[in-house]
Amino acid sequence: EEWRKVRYTDGRPLSGLLSSNGLWWRYMSTASNANRLRANAVSTLFLCNNYLERPITFERDNNLLNPEGLSDAIKNDPNCVNCHNTLDPLAAHLFGFWAPQADSWMEASFYHPERERLWEDVLSVPPGYFGQTSNNITDLGRKIATDPRFASCAVEQIMSHFLAQKIDLADAKRIVQHREAFLESGLTMRSLIRSVVQDPDYKVGHLNADQEGTNAKLLKLDQLVSSIED
């Protein structure tokens, strides 16, 4: 009947959303992927740095379907090393949530402190944050929170959502304005949202001519017809 404070009792290090089951139920990991998809999710969600958007090329004679060939490419092929030398250290933080039997309720519901050091065997790369040493998820959360990209990424995502626009370099001036409001408030989402909805572009509305796109306040013809009919 009321909200209650609760805490995890399975020995997980605490770091806000990074410590929640829900995030890692959304972003799973296969044994061969070794938390790399999860690491990219962390980088994309909190830093707007999506490794999958980077252009890469592979030599035709590389056998990437062979586990040994893939492992060798990750360690030695410059096209792979460019991403994996920062992606894999992020992934190394997350083995406490690693559940090889992902369909097992017991596996996926609990943190596994005894698995934290599986990076030694699976990745052979210790936890790290873009060249900085790190230990566990708590360290990872602190480093993200002090990374200048964190505040900028939050601003870009909130602007994109509320303005129904893709935010790019042309929006640099507005990004700075909302980022300053966000930082001055101590990184409270309330202040960031207030700043964005006071933006003249939000008040006026924005026409997205793309048939697949959406608009903040304007209805397309088919939407208008269906709303009148309803």
Side-chain angles (χ1 to χ4, degrees):
E1 296 180 356
E2 60 184 19
W3 289 102
R4 298 175 57 190
K5 287 187 177 181
V6 298
R7 62 185 177 88
Y8 290 108
T9 58
D10 54 11
R12 70 184 67 195
L14 299 181
S15 192
L17 191 61
L18 294 175
S19 297
S20 68
N21 285 344
L23 183 62
W24 307 125
W25 289 339
R26 168 62 181 83
Y27 297 100
M28 305 294 290
S29 177
T30 62
S32 60
N33 184 256
N35 288 321
R36 293 184 178 101
L37 183 148
R38 289 172 161 177
N40 187 54
V42 170
S43 181
T44 303
L45 292 171
F46 297 108
L47 304 175
C48 293
N49 175 44
N50 188 346
Y51 285 87
L52 298 179
E53 292 182 348
R54 298 185 183 183
I56 56 175
T57 58
F58 296 104
E59 297 295 334
R60 288 182 178 272
D61 56 356
N62 283 353
N63 183 7
L64 300 181
L65 297 179
N66 180 295
E68 294 181 358
L70 180 60
S71 178
D72 180 70
I74 287 173
K75 295 176 182 177
N76 300 305
D77 188 327
N79 295 297
C80 299
V81 172
N82 182 45
C83 288
H84 283 276
N85 63 0
T86 54
L87 178 67
D88 287 11
L90 290 179
H93 291 91
L94 308 175
F95 279 94
F97 286 102
W98 207 40
Q101 300 176 356
D103 57 346
S104 165
W105 178 84
M106 291 295 291
E107 279 277 283
S109 294
F110 293 93
Y111 187 79
H112 303 275
E114 73 282 0
R115 297 177 184 171
E116 287 181 352
R117 297 191 67 85
L118 280 178
W119 57 262
E120 295 177 346
D121 299 321
V122 180
L123 290 175
S124 301
V125 175
Y129 187 80
F130 298 95
Q132 304 175 41
T133 58
S134 185
N135 292 310
N136 57 24
I137 292 178
T138 302
D139 277 355
L140 177 60
R142 288 171 178 159
K143 290 183 184 300
I144 289 173
T146 57
D147 191 322
R149 293 175 293 178
F150 173 65
S152 297
C153 182
V155 171
E156 289 179 30
Q157 293 194 67
I158 291 297
M159 286 179 64
S160 178
H161 175 73
F162 278 90
L163 300 179
Q165 301 176 28
K166 183 176 180 180
I167 305 302
D168 53 32
L169 292 177
D171 299 291
K173 185 176 180 180
R174 291 189 303 168
I175 291 174
V176 170
Q177 172 190 338
H178 299 314
R179 186 175 186 274
E180 288 303 309
F182 190 36
L183 292 173
E184 289 175 5
S185 72
L187 302 182
T188 62
M189 294 302 294
R190 180 191 303 111
S191 297
L192 173 56
I193 293 172
R194 180 186 298 117
S195 179
V196 171
V197 297
Q198 290 175 344
D199 190 307
D201 276 3
Y202 178 83
K203 294 178 179 180
V204 171
H206 172 77
L207 175 61
N208 185 343
D210 185 352
Q211 291 298 313
E212 301 299 322
T214 58
N215 292 285
K217 299 190 177 183
L218 304 179
L219 293 177
K220 296 178 182 177
L221 181 59
D222 59 334
Q223 294 173 324
L224 180 61
V225 170
S226 63
S227 64
I228 294 175
E229 182 179 355
D230 290 341

